[in-house]
């Protein structure tokens, strides 16, 4: 390499082992001004119309002719000055035109790796790659890479994170994945039809605008309310169907694989031992069909869903794979709060229950929409017992377990002595549970 | 299982029950009571003088209200201060507090990400410091207020040392 410093700043110099993103990347910035204009027009249609009528077509075209190349130039420069490199233990991203920014992401701290292909990126054959690390920013994603390159890079990052020797990490390749669950489109559609939120948002979108029209008679007011409402309704019905279409959960030595999406494809990999909590949710309307949804929490990851819809037995089998050695307790195996809890919190107390096994702590809550949360003992960060005056009157207390993904599991309405005992034993279990947990670099043992 | 009596109970009020409980030094109570008396005292003077001068001496009885509040707060602060206690056990730190809303927190040493000693200007004036533990869970609220700065630093060093020895990731 040439001397760093001067040459570096002039050429946006590439250091040894560094790579650039895919050359189509600048294009996505070129259309930013147009997108901003459209966004503004949608957000404030009244004002936009008034402003637009004042402009002639020529001025508009000239403005676009200036803005689009300017944005393209910005896109090109930011692409030119963005480099990334994979070192022995880190992914380094160097970026920024005016404000230089270097992110070093430690690979053994990786909680999940996402490869995302939005629709247009699929057409162009490129993909985004993002490492979920606690505290990582949105801009720490690699957008865009060639689709094959993204796949190879993911395999390499996983191999390095798993603890393969640096020389071999390049050739290890993708770990073979085995499919353990695939959601049929019909089930997904039926499950969405049986979701209250879908109907509520649809009803709101159909009822509110006509009422507003009757009340005000102003087209723009009606449009300004109708569009967001329609957007919400679409997102919660069609949007969810499209996003959760062809949901596939796979298992590989590199951990859990989740592939999903009809238009935008998302491929997520969660390495072993990264799952903090798992929740099995049973909405009221799904109960007849025996269906459940499984949610999971991984620190630093944004996707909370593991299985959008599946029969309970299948979901339980998936959970057993995700948290090895864990048996999901059945409703009957849960220990309920003492009877006097019914006088403390009438009715609602019936939904509560806990179960403790060698591997996990499970709490259930909810009367209509039952939710069973499981946390492995090794993932409990701290344990708390709280008791207010009303609970003390009935000698009851709540036990809270704080986990690393920012979620807290609460065992409510336990007997006060039992709660104190739980606090003591859970602290002990969470301390020792760590011993037989797998190391951060899961292939080195 | 060794719940371990802490090696060093650090003074004030070593309990006799299994974990070696340590109470807070009286400095915090002194500071809080002094602040209470100063603020409510000023309020009492204002509440007594203003109506007393403007509307007649009988109205100065308004001053009794802040005074009653002060008496109530005085006992409340005492009870709250007495309720705070912590225990350094062999593998975890126990913090117990609260009178009406009781709460007891256990943090295994291996889960500590960061131990912080803080001291605001008022606290510093009274020679006090608080120790705060952070784990990977944001909900963990393990704070010990009103410690002697030397004790706070000793605790911080000991917790950090124990945390390193038993460290574990997420």
């Amino acid at each position: 390499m040439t001397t760093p410093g001067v040459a570096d700043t002039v050429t946006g110099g590439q250091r040894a082992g560094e790579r650039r993103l895919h050359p189509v990347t600048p294009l996505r910035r070129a259309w930013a001004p147009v997108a901003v204009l459209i966004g503004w027009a949608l957000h404030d249609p009244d004002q936009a119309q008034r402003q637009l009528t004042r402009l002639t077509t020529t001025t508009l075209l000239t403005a676009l002719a200036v803005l689009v190349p300017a944005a393209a130039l910005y896109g090109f420069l930011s692409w030119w000055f963005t480099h990334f490199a994979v070192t022995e233990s880190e992914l380094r991203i160097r970026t920024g035109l005016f404000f230089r920014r270097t992110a070093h992401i430690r690979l053994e701290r990786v909680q999940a790796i996402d490869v995302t292909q939005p629709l247009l990126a699929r057409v162009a054959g490129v993909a985004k790659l993002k490492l979920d690390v606690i505290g990582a920013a949105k801009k720490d994603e690699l957008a865009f890479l060639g689709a094959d390159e993204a796949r190879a890079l993911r395999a390499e990052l996983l191999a390095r994170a798993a603890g393969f020797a640096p020389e071999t990490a390049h050739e290890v390749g993708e770990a073979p994945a085995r499919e353990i669950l695939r959601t049929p489109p019909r089930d997904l559609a039926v499950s969405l039809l049986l979701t209250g939120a879908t109907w509520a948002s649809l009803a709101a979108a159909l009822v509110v605008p006509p009422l507003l029209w009757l009340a005000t008679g102003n087209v723009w007011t009606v449009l300004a309310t109708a569009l967001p409402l329609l957007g919400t309704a679409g997102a919660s019905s069609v949007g969810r169907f499209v996003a959760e279409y062809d949901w596939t959960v796979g298992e590989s030595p590199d951990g859990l694989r989740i592939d999903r999406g009809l238009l935008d494809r998302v491929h997520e990999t969660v390495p072993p031992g990264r799952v903090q909590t798992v929740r099995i949710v049973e909405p009221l309307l799904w109960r007849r069909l025996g269906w459940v949804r499984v949610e999971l929490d991984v620190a630093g990851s944004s996707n909370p869903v593991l299985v959008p819809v599946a029969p309970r037995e299948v979901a339980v089998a998936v959970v057993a794979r995700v948290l090895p050695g864990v048996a999901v307790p059945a409703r009957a195996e849960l220990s309920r709060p003492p009877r006097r809890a019914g006088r403390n919190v009438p009715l609602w107390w019936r939904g509560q229950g806990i179960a403790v096994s060698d591997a996990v702590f499970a709490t259930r809550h909810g009367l209509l929409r039952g939710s069973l949360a499981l946390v492995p003992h090794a993932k409990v960060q701290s344990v708390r017992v709280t008791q207010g005056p009303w609970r003390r009157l009935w000698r009851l207390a709540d036990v809270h377990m704080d986990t690393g993904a920012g979620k807290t599991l609460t065992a409510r309405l336990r007997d006060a002595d039992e709660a104190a005992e739980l606090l003591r034993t859970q602290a002990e279990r969470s301390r020792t549970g760590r011993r037989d947990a797998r190391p951060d670099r899961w292939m080195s043992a | 299982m060794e719940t371990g009596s802490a090696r060093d109970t650090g003074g004030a009020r070593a309990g006799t029950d299994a974990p070696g409980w340590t109470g807070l030094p009286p400095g915090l109570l002194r500071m809080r009571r002094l602040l209470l008396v100063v603020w409510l005292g000023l309020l009492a003077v204002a509440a007594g003088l203003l109506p007393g001068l403007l509307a007649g001496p009988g109205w100065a009885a308004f001053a009794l209200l802040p005074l009653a509040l002060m008496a109530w707060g005085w006992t409340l602060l005492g009870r709250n201060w007495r309720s705070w206690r912590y225990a350094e056990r062999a593998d975890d730190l126990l913090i117990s507090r609260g009178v009406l809303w009781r709460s007891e927190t256990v943090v295994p040493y291996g889960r500590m990400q960061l131990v912080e000693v803080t001291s605001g200007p008022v606290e510093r004036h009274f020679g006090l410091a608080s120790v705060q533990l952070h784990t990977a869970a944001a909900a963990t609220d393990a704070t010990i207020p009103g410690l002697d700065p030397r004790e706070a630093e000793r605790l911080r060093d000991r917790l950090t040392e124990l945390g390193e020895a038993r460290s574990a990731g997420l």
Side-chain angles (χ1 to χ4, degrees):
Chain A
M1 274 312 321
T2 50
T3 45
V6 183
D8 208 53
T9 42
V10 173
T11 60
Q14 217 157 355
R15 295 180 196 156
E18 282 194 332
R19 286 186 263 169
R20 281 218 176 86
L21 298 170
H22 196 273
V24 304
T25 309
L27 285 179
R28 76 171 174 151
R29 303 226 194 246
W31 300 104
V34 183
V36 166
L37 266 183
I38 292 174
W40 171 62
L42 284 180
H43 181 76
D44 193 0
D46 223 354
Q47 182 82 9
Q49 201 205 18
R50 229 175 302 136
Q51 296 288 341
L52 283 178
T53 43
R54 262 200 276 147
L55 295 173
T56 57
T57 324
T58 0
T59 36
L60 200 66
L61 282 181
T62 349
L64 276 184
V66 173
L67 278 177
V68 169
L73 182 70
Y74 170 68
F76 172 77
L77 286 176
S78 73
W79 169 75
W80 185 254
F81 282 100
T82 301
H83 304 275
F84 69 96
V86 186
T87 70
E88 212 160 299
S89 59
E90 288 174 335
L91 172 70
R92 294 186 181 164
I93 305 172
R94 210 152 56 84
T95 181
L97 182 52
F98 299 112
F99 301 95
R100 305 313 300 272
R101 180 168 184 280
T102 313
H104 289 206
I105 301 170
R106 293 192 65 79
L107 291 180
E108 83 260 24
R109 293 292 157 106
V110 163
Q111 302 289 323
I113 300 188
D114 308 331
V115 174
T116 320
Q117 278 191 293
L119 184 60
L120 281 176
R122 276 174 82 182
V123 175
V126 292
K128 282 193 250 191
L129 187 140
K130 182 164 178 284
L131 294 184
D132 289 330
V133 188
I134 296 172
K138 171 87 176 66
K139 51 193 163 193
D140 288 334
E141 64 178 15
L142 295 174
F144 288 93
L145 297 166
D148 294 331
E149 195 191 358
R151 191 163 286 240
L153 183 64
R154 179 179 69 175
E156 187 186 343
L157 290 173
L158 282 168
R160 284 184 194 242
F164 281 108
E167 310 82 59
T168 54
H170 210 69
E171 290 100 56
V172 172
E174 193 139 84
R178 206 168 54 80
E179 182 181 310
I180 52 179
L181 177 134
R182 185 182 281 265
T183 307
R186 200 186 65 89
D187 284 15
L188 189 62
V190 172
S191 78
L192 284 174
L193 287 180
L194 289 177
T195 303
T198 317
W199 292 106
S201 60
L202 270 178
L206 291 180
V207 170
V208 172
L211 284 180
L212 261 181
W213 171 249
L214 287 179
T216 63
N218 185 337
V219 187
W220 294 113
T221 327
V222 173
L223 266 186
T225 12
L227 283 177
L229 278 175
L230 279 174
T232 327
S236 71
S237 53
V238 181
R240 256 182 77 179
F241 182 79
V242 168
E244 297 180 349
Y245 182 82
D246 193 28
W247 191 290
T248 314
V249 181
E251 191 188 34
S252 82
D254 278 342
L256 202 63
R257 289 252 155 89
I258 301 173
D259 305 305
R260 63 189 163 97
L262 179 64
L263 303 177
D264 302 356
R265 289 293 290 176
V266 179
H267 312 271
E268 198 177 358
T269 310
V270 182
R274 260 61 169 182
V275 176
Q276 305 274 338
T277 58
V278 171
R279 261 165 291 126
I280 300 181
V281 183
E282 198 178 16
L284 179 64
L285 295 174
W286 296 9
R287 212 176 276 178
R288 277 185 71 93
L289 296 165
W291 284 354
V292 295
R293 182 169 70 240
V294 185
E295 301 176 346
L296 87 171
D297 294 309
V298 174
S301 165
S302 51
N303 168 37
V305 182
L306 172 61
V307 179
V309 57
R312 196 183 159 87
E313 316 83 64
V314 179
V316 165
V318 173
V319 171
R321 294 274 176 75
V322 175
L323 300 174
V326 169
V328 177
R331 185 81 196 265
E333 292 171 51
L334 296 174
S335 129
R336 281 220 188 155
R339 283 208 77 81
R340 60 178 188 279
R343 276 168 288 166
N344 187 290
V345 185
L347 202 63
W348 188 65
W349 74 286
R350 290 177 176 279
Q352 309 287 322
I354 63 164
V356 189
S357 76
D358 292 340
V360 287
F361 194 101
T363 66
R364 187 194 184 279
H365 71 89
L367 265 184
L368 302 178
R369 182 177 176 277
S371 165
L372 178 75
L374 306 158
V375 58
H377 296 318
K379 298 296 180 195
V380 176
Q381 299 285 331
S382 64
V383 192
R384 290 175 289 141
V385 170
T386 57
Q387 187 185 44
W390 180 242
R391 294 272 150 94
R392 181 148 61 249
L393 200 60
W394 302 102
R395 283 180 295 111
L396 298 168
D398 297 344
V399 185
H400 308 265
M401 264 142 297
D402 306 316
T403 74
K407 286 279 178 348
T408 298
L409 263 69
T410 308
R412 287 196 176 81
L413 300 167
R414 308 313 300 182
D415 179 75
D417 296 331
E418 188 197 352
E421 179 68 14
L422 274 176
L423 176 77
R424 200 178 58 73
T425 51
Q426 188 57 38
E428 178 71 14
R429 275 192 294 260
S430 79
R431 190 169 59 75
T432 50
R434 191 69 209 179
R435 289 203 191 121
D436 28 68
R438 297 174 77 171
D440 268 356
R441 297 177 172 275
W442 58 96
M443 280 299 185
S444 65
Chain B
M1 196 189 82
E2 23 150 35
T3 37
S5 58
R7 285 188 305 210
D8 176 10
T9 43
R13 214 175 51 102
T16 46
D17 47 341
W21 288 108
T22 312
L24 298 184
L28 181 71
L29 182 62
R30 260 205 306 272
M31 178 188 94
R32 287 187 175 164
R33 280 186 170 163
L34 191 68
L35 287 178
L36 178 87
V37 167
V38 167
W39 285 113
L40 284 180
L42 284 176
L43 197 68
V45 169
L49 276 183
L50 280 180
L53 291 177
L54 294 177
W59 295 97
F62 268 117
L64 288 177
L65 211 69
L67 287 178
L69 213 62
M70 195 193 294
W72 187 52
W74 184 274
T75 50
L76 219 64
L77 285 179
R79 285 173 69 191
N80 181 275
W81 172 77
R82 267 192 301 281
S83 75
W84 276 91
R85 50 185 192 164
Y86 64 94
E88 300 162 57
R89 302 198 299 181
D91 299 295
D92 42 36
L93 183 80
L94 230 69
I95 301 172
S96 169
R97 65 168 191 283
V99 181
L100 269 187
W101 275 270
R102 269 184 216 156
S103 160
E104 194 168 335
T105 307
V106 187
V107 186
Y109 295 134
R111 300 298 153 81
M112 288 172 194
Q113 301 279 330
L114 164 73
V115 185
E116 207 177 8
V117 174
T118 54
S119 183
V122 181
E123 281 183 305
R124 216 161 33 237
H125 184 255
F126 285 85
L128 297 172
S130 26
V131 174
Q132 190 172 7
L133 310 179
H134 296 271
T135 68
T140 306
D141 59 338
T143 311
I144 311 175
L147 291 172
D148 179 54
R150 269 197 314 273
E151 163 71 359
E153 271 164 34
R154 184 200 66 80
L155 199 62
R156 179 196 61 197
D157 292 344
R158 185 172 138 77
L159 292 177
T160 319
E161 186 188 317
L162 287 167
E164 266 166 27
R166 293 164 172 74
S167 169
L170 285 180

